[in-house]
Amino acid sequence: MKFGGTSVATIERIKNVAQHVKREIEAGYDVAVVVSAMSGKTNELVGWCKEAAPLHDPREYDAVVASGEQVTTGLLAIALQAIGIKARSWQGWQVPFETDDAHGSARIQKIDGTRMLESFARDREVAVVAGFQGIHAPSGRLTTLGRGGSDTSAVALAAALQAERCDIYTDVDGVYTTDPRIVSKARRLDRVAFEEMLEMASLGAKVLQVRSVELAMVHNVRTFVRSSFDNPAQPMPGTLICAEEDIMEQPVVTGIAYSKDEAQITLREVADKPGVAAAVFEPLAAASIVVDMIVQNVSADGATTDITFTVPSADYARAMDVIEKRKAEIGYKLVQSAQEVAKISAIGVGMRSHAGVAAKAFKALAERGINIRAITTSEIKFSVLIDVAYTELAVRTLHSLYGLDAA
Ligand code: ADP
Ligand code: ASP
Ligand code: MG
């Protein structure tokens, strides 16, 4: 079981979580519970690091931001003990969750569940585990898995323990056709295919961290998304993330996602000759900046062209710095940029076998006066970049267009 920030936001809610755990214990399961920090806590800790020094040691950032989860593990163990359930807290390093040393976005390499399994067998003690954190064993330093990382902690632990299920409890009762906070007509899905969930998560639906979906797919972990606000005695089953073959009826579009964390950069009058794209994108890659959409025009005069691309907002300043420093090598006339942009995406495995899915969207957006700045497509999704002010309108438009609105 995994409980996110809003589910453990207060002592009252932690007591409610204890009731959910109790139900599973009474049903005969041994339980490992992964918890996040109380909602808002991690943001506060990140803010403190930035305030202390904008460019800080990432190892110390991890030492600070991992602390939120330490608090909730202890509190939940206390709440469980108070209702007569044996429980203890486990920090990442105690399990241990061994990771690489990419501080701030570490990847789990190995989880040794031996001692936890022994404590289940010995006295059915509930393991309350700190999400989001691990240890880089060679250096002995704390690490964290990137924002939203407790989802990944939970799925990875479920795989290591060969758990029957991994239930991700959050503040909505499943995965919806789009973010239910911005579209009131969003519908809850009973099942979502791994590939679709991967796309939805990486295109902005923060309900699951992308890496957790990858792990669930690779290790075939039965993962459900469900609500901690349901009655602990009779919770709803939530949404199952499963293989495509396990879904009977497959609509063309399953969901709409959006992301406001993008910035657009355009290079004007770049020479139209071999090697120019490499001159632009190699230095960005060397700076570990992930470029997403790329648009290059056919040259009108045979001599120069324009290249447009997007980068994560967080990397915008660094990307501009790289591009400006390389001006001579790349040889462009002018650089233009826009930060007030959003990426809207439609996702569905049904797109593989249907023509004209994206074309319909372009027409509907045009009818509402929404200008498209860039487009990308792949087998099971397409994305458009638009002005951020139109985000909600565009999401709602596509949601209705593909018949996803609740009746
Ligand atoms: P937690 O703190 O439990 O990890 P998150 O805030 O990380 O919770 O994720 C849950 C939120 O994800 C929901 O409150 C919802 O606003 C948002 N969300 C975005 N897209 C979707 C979607 N397609 N289905 C469900 N929730 C979504
Ligand atoms: N507390 C961490 C965060 O806010 C991890 C998580 O909640 O999943 O990113
Ligand atoms: Mg989350």
Side-chain angles (χ1 to χ4, degrees):
M1 304 174 82
K2 178 259 172 176
F3 292 87
T6 37
S7 305
V8 295
T10 62
I11 302 300
E12 213 42 55
R13 290 196 186 160
I14 290 175
K15 288 182 177 169
N16 175 62
V17 166
Q19 293 299 326
H20 280 282
V21 175
K22 182 166 177 245
R23 179 192 67 239
E24 299 298 338
I25 288 287
E26 285 172 353
Y29 291 108
D30 288 319
V31 181
V33 199
V34 172
V35 287
S36 290
M38 289 178 170
S39 69
K41 191 70 208 173
T42 311
N43 286 344
E44 181 182 47
L45 297 169
V46 170
W48 286 347
C49 290
K50 286 189 184 146
E51 206 180 315
L55 279 179
H56 40 254
D57 181 343
R59 293 163 299 188
E60 302 309 343
Y61 165 94
D62 278 348
V64 175
V65 301
S67 67
E69 275 72 10
Q70 177 158 344
V71 173
T72 46
T73 51
L75 290 172
L76 179 57
I78 292 172
L80 285 164
Q81 290 165 4
I83 56 170
I85 294 171
K86 285 204 185 92
R88 70 154 279 194
S89 61
W90 296 79
Q91 304 312 309
W93 59 271
Q94 291 171 320
V95 176
F97 278 72
E98 287 187 32
T99 72
D100 61 16
D101 64 350
H103 287 276
S105 56
R107 281 170 84 96
I108 299 172
Q109 290 175 327
K110 196 173 115 209
I111 298 176
D112 184 354
T114 319
R115 284 176 55 218
M116 201 176 283
L117 289 169
E118 281 167 11
S119 76
F120 289 156
R122 199 171 48 243
D123 42 25
R124 299 202 64 212
E125 183 182 66
V126 172
V128 185
V129 182
F132 183 50
Q133 50 169 269
I135 182 169
H136 175 242
S139 63
R141 305 294 306 252
L142 285 186
T143 54
T144 62
L145 311 178
R147 299 308 305 272
S150 296
D151 298 329
T152 301
S153 308
V155 175
L157 183 60
L161 298 174
Q162 295 187 294
E164 181 170 316
R165 294 196 322 264
C166 179
D167 291 350
I168 308 270
Y169 287 83
T170 180
D171 54 4
V172 285
D173 59 1
V175 177
Y176 278 68
T177 47
T178 191
D179 189 344
R181 282 184 204 286
I182 74 159
V183 179
S184 57
K185 288 180 180 162
R187 272 190 297 117
R188 194 184 63 80
L189 298 160
D190 285 332
R191 293 175 174 222
V192 182
F194 287 122
E195 290 86 350
E196 291 172 330
M197 196 62 234
L198 265 183
E199 292 284 8
M200 283 171 76
S202 61
L203 294 167
K206 68 167 184 165
V207 62
L208 288 177
Q209 199 196 34
V210 180
R211 182 82 184 120
S212 72
V213 186
E214 279 171 7
L215 287 178
M217 184 158 104
V218 170
H219 297 284
N220 215 358
V221 178
R222 262 175 90 71
T223 304
F224 289 85
V225 175
R226 52 202 299 191
S227 172
S228 70
F229 297 104
D230 282 350
N231 176 1
Q234 279 169 322
M236 302 299 287
T239 300
L240 173 66
I241 320 296
C242 62
E244 206 177 312
E245 304 79 71
D246 297 334
I247 303 179
M248 300 280 259
E249 215 177 309
Q250 204 55 260
V252 179
V253 172
T254 304
I256 311 292
Y258 68 94
S259 162
K260 296 180 178 178
D261 301 323
E262 310 266 323
Q264 176 188 337
I265 299 176
T266 299
L267 305 181
R268 296 278 180 213
E269 296 188 33
V270 182
D272 190 17
K273 61 173 196 217
V276 170
V280 176
F281 297 113
E282 266 176 8
L284 291 171
S288 301
I289 295 170
V290 179
V291 173
D292 179 21
M293 306 172 119
I294 301 177
V295 182
Q296 180 176 343
N297 285 337
V298 175
S299 148
D301 56 4
T304 65
T305 182
D306 298 336
I307 297 181
T308 293
F309 57 92
T310 64
V311 297
S313 314
D315 293 329
Y316 168 74
R318 287 198 306 126
M320 286 296 278
D321 188 50
V322 169
I323 292 298
E324 272 155 13
K325 283 202 176 110
R326 295 284 178 139
K327 183 162 191 207
E329 288 96 316
I330 303 169
Y332 56 85
K333 173 135 185 243
L334 184 73
V335 52
Q336 293 171 322
S337 63
Q339 287 184 269
E340 300 292 290
V341 294
K343 183 172 65 178
I344 317 296
S345 309
I347 300 113
V349 288
M351 274 189 215
R352 283 196 194 111
S353 49
H354 284 80
V357 180
K360 245 171 105 175
F362 303 153
K363 179 152 177 272
L365 294 173
E367 280 166 4
R368 279 161 192 75
I370 302 173
N371 186 39
I372 298 173
R373 294 164 160 266
I375 302 169
T376 53
T377 66
S378 75
E379 217 187 358
I380 65 161
K381 68 117 206 270
F382 69 86
S383 305
V384 295
L385 194 71
I386 60 168
D387 285 352
V388 73
Y390 293 110
T391 307
E392 279 80 7
L393 177 61
V395 171
R396 278 200 295 271
T397 300
L398 299 191
H399 197 265
S400 310
L401 180 70
Y402 295 113
L404 300 176
D405 286 356

